[in-house]
Amino acid sequence: MNLFLQLFLTFARVGAFTFGGGYAMLPILQREIVEKKGWATDEELTDYFAIGQCTPGIIAVNTATFVGYKTKGVLGGIFATLGLVTPSLIIITVIAAFLKNFADLAVVQHAFGGIRACVCVLIFNSVLKLRKSTVIDRPTAAIFLVVLVLALISNFGNPTGVWSYLVSPAVLVVLAGLCGLGLKGGRQK
């Protein structure tokens, strides 16, 4: 089968069967992209998520673009991205047409409550999978803990204040990257 079509269909399947956004997609992306297709390694997928987090746009779309580009260049990035967003576009259009009529029903509200709980578990599962391939020694554990504390301070301290800008995800990713460079440089000497 044409690789462009494979990219489109693989990411369309991911887009159609993943609920909860980019983080909830991580286990499915890992299974489809790393284990089944071999288009990226666990480390590459983690890097794509990190870069996708600190660049403009939606993290899942950015990740699809990175994987598609790595696999088949610019056109691969376009096909992977279109594959990921097409199911969402169709589903959201259909839901938008009907949600206004049903959003206030108790059964719909309860269903959304259950979906939100499920998404939290999927995100937590993603964190556990990422931890296995990223927190591999004491220095990376230290970076993890510092970033965790800073993220918690920014979210619970004053999420709309100065901290939210100083400790934004983009700043955290850049600082953690610089720390990683420093650690790697220190190990090579």
Side-chain angles (χ1 to χ4, degrees), residues 95-120:
I95 289 173
F98 295 103
L99 185 62
K100 184 177 178 183
N101 300 330
F102 302 107
D104 295 329
L105 294 176
V107 68
V108 173
Q109 294 297 321
H110 294 309
F112 281 141
I115 291 169
R116 285 190 296 270
C118 177
V119 167
C120 288

Side-chain angles (χ1 to χ4, degrees), residues 115-135:
I115 291 169
R116 285 190 296 270
C118 177
V119 167
C120 288
V121 172
L122 293 173
I123 292 171
F124 182 70
N125 185 35
S126 298
V127 169
L128 293 178
K129 283 188 174 199
L130 278 172
R131 185 198 56 80
K132 289 178 185 177
S133 65
T134 57
V135 182

Side-chain angles (χ1 to χ4, degrees), residues 27-187:
I28 294 173
L29 281 171
Q30 195 275 339
R31 184 177 61 243
E32 291 293 323
I33 306 310
V34 176
E35 294 174 11
K36 288 185 178 178
K37 300 292 184 184
W39 291 336
T41 65
D42 279 324
E43 292 78 19
E44 288 172 328
L45 190 60
T46 302
D47 291 344
Y48 297 153
F49 258 70
I51 295 166
Q53 176 68 41
C54 65
T55 54
I58 301 167
I59 189 171
V61 173
N62 293 348
T63 302
T65 305
F66 291 137
V67 171
Y69 182 82
K70 178 191 180 253
T71 305
K72 204 69 175 151
V74 173
L75 277 178
I78 292 169
F79 273 82
T81 302
L82 288 175
L84 186 77
V85 300
T86 298
S88 298
L89 182 64
I90 294 168
I91 292 167
I92 292 299
T93 303
V94 170
I95 289 173
F98 295 103
L99 185 62
K100 184 177 178 183
N101 300 330
F102 302 107
D104 295 329
L105 294 176
V107 68
V108 173
Q109 294 297 321
H110 294 309
F112 281 141
I115 291 169
R116 285 190 296 270
C118 177
V119 167
C120 288
V121 172
L122 293 173
I123 292 171
F124 182 70
N125 185 35
S126 298
V127 169
L128 293 178
K129 283 188 174 199
L130 278 172
R131 185 198 56 80
K132 289 178 185 177
S133 65
T134 57
V135 182
I136 55 174
D137 54 17
R138 285 187 177 150
T140 55
I143 292 170
F144 171 81
L145 290 174
V146 168
V147 170
L148 176 65
V149 168
L150 290 173
L152 290 174
I153 288 171
S154 72
N155 285 329
F156 295 118
N158 185 4
T160 59
V162 173
W163 271 103
S164 66
Y165 294 104
L166 294 177
V167 194
S168 74
V171 171
L172 291 176
V173 170
V174 169
L175 290 175
L178 291 173
C179 289
L181 281 173
L183 290 172
K184 185 172 174 96
R187 290 181 185 165

Side-chain angles (χ1 to χ4, degrees), residues 8-33:
F8 181 88
L9 293 176
T10 298
F11 280 99
R13 187 171 47 251
V14 169
F17 295 107
T18 305
F19 298 89
Y23 294 110
M25 284 183 172
L26 184 60
I28 294 173
L29 281 171
Q30 195 275 339
R31 184 177 61 243
E32 291 293 323
I33 306 310

